[in-house]
Amino acid sequence: MMKITAGLGHVDDYPAYIHAGADEVFCGYVPDSWYEKYGMDSPLNRREVRYAHAQIGGRNELLVLRSMIDDLGAPAILTMNALSYLPEQYPIITDIVGQCFSDGFSEFIVADPALLYYLNSQIPDIRVHLSGESFTMNPEALSLFDFPTVKRIIFHRHLSVSEIRKCILSAKHCSEFEAFVLNERCHFHGALCASVHCDELSPICRLPYLLGSLSSDASWSTRKMDQDPEVFSSTGCGLCALYDLDHSGITHLKIVGRGNSPENMIRDIQMVKKATTCCEYASSREDFQKAVKSILQYPCSNNCYYSQDKKRHD
């Protein structure tokens, strides 16, 4: 069965997420020493947030999380996934990673190729998850990062299932492969997005806008916005594609949720857990999708992560 990895915004929510069905969590960690030196102008990961619950805020909290992991057994992966860093920051980040490693955290999500290679040379025993924020568009791009330190590839939001399958078949060293399944189907590829996710400003994908098309006679037509807060998974859903993802070699399903409310995250984890159970026992794609529709008590958001594959099968 595919495992569920869920975004953790606050250490107190870890037990509830695991009891709801998450097999692991991923979370940001920004020690006070980083804030004191760089503030939020040079973020350590892709959540430039101090006040909302989107980070593990200090080593004491990290050690509390470590004790919870010892009790419940589900690991936590720490995000160091900013797109780039200043040259002077690579040794500092390596020291932070080394401290986390000594505290019992051995897996890290990384996007910056330079940091990836630097960590590989300095701390070869850590295990890296190649972030979905990296520009992993095809097998050729992935070949640049496919070496023993990289344990898992997180496929970015805009690949189809068939494209994911090609990448998995080309991998030489990676043993785990992760795909987005719920929430935040961002309109932009992370590696090409210069927006921020901070306390004061809305990220650019959240700003009001109209989608439309320009016809040959230069007339402009708009369509309904594809986000509806009253619909389950209104910002992105891939539940219908789980059967195909499973048979393509995906081992982990990502529920985006750093900064999300605990109530919504627990609901999402429980729903994905039910869907993966359906997938495990389904004998065909049709049987699986019928079973999923029977447990989904919400209207479809039509904001599908894998819309290309969905159209092909319809």
Side-chain angles (χ1 to χ4, degrees), residues 17-86:
Y17 290 4
I18 305 309
H19 291 311
D23 298 288
E24 65 181 38
V25 298
F26 62 96
C27 56
Y29 169 56
V30 185
D32 290 337
S33 59
W34 183 273
Y35 283 124
E36 291 170 0
K37 189 174 182 62
Y38 297 109
M40 294 310 298
D41 296 331
S42 185
L44 189 55
N45 62 68
R46 289 290 276 170
R47 289 293 184 274
E48 302 90 344
V49 176
R50 184 63 189 246
Y51 299 108
H53 287 169
Q55 310 279 11
I56 302 299
R59 190 180 176 211
N60 288 340
E61 289 187 31
L62 201 66
L63 294 176
V64 170
L65 178 60
R66 179 67 254 177
S67 67
M68 291 180 177
I69 293 171
D70 292 338
D71 290 338
L72 296 178
I77 299 93
L78 304 183
T79 59
M80 306 287 176
N81 64 334
L83 302 183
S84 62
Y85 301 94
L86 299 173

Side-chain angles (χ1 to χ4, degrees), residues 152-185:
R152 184 185 305 178
I153 296 171
I154 305 172
F155 294 108
H156 72 80
R157 292 167 166 89
H158 300 294
L159 285 180
S160 66
V161 175
S162 58
E163 290 170 329
I164 288 174
R165 183 184 299 113
K166 291 178 182 178
C167 290
I168 291 175
L169 292 174
S170 73
K172 296 179 181 179
H173 295 102
C174 296
S175 59
E176 297 177 355
F177 305 94
E178 183 177 315
F180 286 80
V181 68
L182 268 188
N183 304 331
E184 306 307 330
R185 182 180 173 267

Side-chain angles (χ1 to χ4, degrees), residues 93-104:
I93 296 171
T94 302
D95 288 343
I96 294 173
V97 170
Q99 182 65 68
C100 294
F101 187 78
S102 67
D103 288 337

Side-chain angles (χ1 to χ4, degrees), residues 202-218:
S202 175
I204 195 164
C205 52
R206 293 289 190 179
L207 297 179
Y209 62 89
L210 292 175
L211 297 175
S213 58
L214 189 66
S215 65
S216 57
D217 62 356

Side-chain angles (χ1 to χ4, degrees), residues 102-224:
S102 67
D103 288 337
F105 296 87
S106 60
E107 300 185 24
F108 300 84
I109 300 175
V110 174
D112 177 14
L115 178 62
L116 178 64
Y117 280 87
Y118 194 90
L119 289 174
N120 184 62
S121 66
Q122 300 297 314
I123 316 177
D125 291 333
I126 71 167
R127 290 294 172 260
V128 170
H129 298 189
L130 185 62
S131 172
E133 300 288 286
S134 60
F135 203 71
T136 50
M137 300 291 293
N138 50 48
E140 289 74 20
L142 284 176
S143 66
L144 299 174
F145 309 102
D146 192 9
F147 49 87
T149 303
V150 180
K151 174 185 179 182
R152 184 185 305 178
I153 296 171
I154 305 172
F155 294 108
H156 72 80
R157 292 167 166 89
H158 300 294
L159 285 180
S160 66
V161 175
S162 58
E163 290 170 329
I164 288 174
R165 183 184 299 113
K166 291 178 182 178
C167 290
I168 291 175
L169 292 174
S170 73
K172 296 179 181 179
H173 295 102
C174 296
S175 59
E176 297 177 355
F177 305 94
E178 183 177 315
F180 286 80
V181 68
L182 268 188
N183 304 331
E184 306 307 330
R185 182 180 173 267
C186 187
H187 307 290
F188 307 104
H189 189 300
L192 301 178
C193 178
S195 181
V196 295
H197 307 78
C198 65
D199 297 301
E200 301 85 359
L201 301 172
S202 175
I204 195 164
C205 52
R206 293 289 190 179
L207 297 179
Y209 62 89
L210 292 175
L211 297 175
S213 58
L214 189 66
S215 65
S216 57
D217 62 356
S219 61
W220 177 260
S221 60
T222 60
R223 66 177 177 84
K224 185 180 181 294

